[in-house]
Amino acid sequence: MICALGSAVCYGTASVLQAVAARAAEPGTGSGVDPALLLRALRQWRYVAGLALDGLGFVLQIVALRAVPIYAVGAALAASLAVTAVVAARLLRVRLSAREWSAVGVVCAGLALLALSSGAEGTEGGSTALRLAMLGVAVAVLLAGAVAGGLPDRPSALVLGFGAGTGFGVVEVSVRLIDGVTPGELVTNPAVYALLLGGGAAFLLLTSAFQRGSVTTATAGMVIGETIGPALVGVVWLGDRTRAGLGWLTVVGFAVAVAGALALARFGEAGVEETEGS
């Protein structure tokens, strides 16, 4: 859980840095899948710094996924939205209201409940059908991103964020579906390709989402995509369980953490434009 929370801090901080860089980059084609926009964003030092934090966060996430259930890691990563709000308040000069600070507290309370009730990760390896399904979802994320680019900015940011979250969710599940790391095992495992395609698609969509709408609108969609689906996969197909007699507390903790994160979707960021002009 410490690694999962550390990952959330890295991802939440990276989101703000990448959002500022994406806004400063020249407008792209308007498509939700725009590699050229990603390349232009990479010229910004903030985006590169955000990628470095993403890399560290991913390493911590893998360690966490190998030790605790997916639902616990997913809820912890939902806390990245709380981190995003707090960091944005500092870097983007945006004030958090009492309600938004309360939402940050709710997220922390939900994570505390999860820490108390989470059991060991499941021992089931997952079927070939599940591995292929993850690859199919990763492809669908790319297609959905292309379609979402034609929507108005605000709904586009939410849909692109959700698509990015789904891509990151594919990564979470795929990590659990990779058993061996020898070249032969990696080449023949569809989960490896799902991880690479899902992660790449997620970065493309999230960068577009940051340029099209607010940081927290995009991240709220991402939280939904990367928590609920992967948690269900972990419980239903990978054998994730809770501590004996504390299943209800896990459900409450998960719901509270995600609800608190989504409540922060109301957090505006009018200061982004001010920061860009300064």
Side-chain angles (χ1 to χ4, degrees):
M1 284 299 293
I2 292 176
C3 287
L5 292 173
S7 180
V9 171
C10 291
Y11 287 150
T13 306
S15 292
V16 178
L17 293 174
Q18 290 166 344
V20 173
R23 294 291 184 84
E26 296 178 8
T29 62
S31 171
V33 182
D34 187 358
L37 172 60
L38 180 60
L39 292 175
R40 288 191 293 274
L42 283 170
R43 299 173 186 170
Q44 309 284 331
W45 70 266
R46 292 181 180 87
Y47 199 90
V48 176
L51 284 181
L53 285 173
D54 281 333
L56 176 59
F58 183 62
V59 172
L60 294 174
Q61 180 183 353
I62 290 177
V63 174
L65 286 168
R66 290 294 184 179
V68 296
I70 292 177
Y71 64 77
V73 177
L77 293 181
S80 67
L81 188 55
V83 176
T84 294
V86 173
V87 174
R90 298 277 300 188
L91 297 185
L92 305 182
R93 303 172 186 174
V94 180
R95 300 182 64 181
L96 290 175
S97 68
R99 183 174 182 176
E100 288 154 353
W101 279 115
S102 298
V104 173
V106 167
V107 171
C108 295
L111 292 175
L113 295 178
L114 270 176
L116 291 173
S117 60
S118 295
E121 69 167 351
T123 57
E124 299 179 22
S127 64
T128 300
L130 182 58
R131 291 176 170 83
L132 291 172
M134 289 300 103
L135 182 57
V137 172
V139 173
V141 166
L142 274 177
L143 296 177
V147 173
L151 298 174
D153 284 351
R154 184 174 178 82
S156 176
L158 184 61
V159 173
L160 288 170
F162 176 77
T166 303
F168 288 131
V170 168
V171 172
E172 292 175 26
V173 176
S174 297
V175 167
R176 288 279 297 276
L177 297 176
I178 299 174
D179 299 320
V181 293
T182 64
E185 291 172 314
L186 292 177
V187 170
T188 58
N189 191 341
V192 174
Y193 302 103
L195 186 153
L196 295 174
L197 182 59
F203 271 112
L204 285 174
L205 268 63
L206 192 59
T207 302
S208 296
F210 285 154
Q211 191 175 64
R212 299 291 294 272
S214 72
V215 178
T216 44
T217 295
T219 313
M222 183 179 69
V223 165
I224 297 173
E226 73 178 349
T227 53
I228 299 176
L232 290 175
V233 171
V235 171
V236 176
W237 285 287
L238 298 179
D240 288 346
R241 295 293 181 264
T242 65
R243 292 185 181 180
L246 293 181
W248 65 272
L249 189 60
T250 298
V251 174
V252 171
F254 182 87
V256 168
V258 175
L262 292 178
L264 286 168
R266 297 174 59 85
F267 169 61
E269 48 162 315
V272 172
E273 288 77 9
E274 297 176 11
T275 302
E276 292 169 4
S278 62

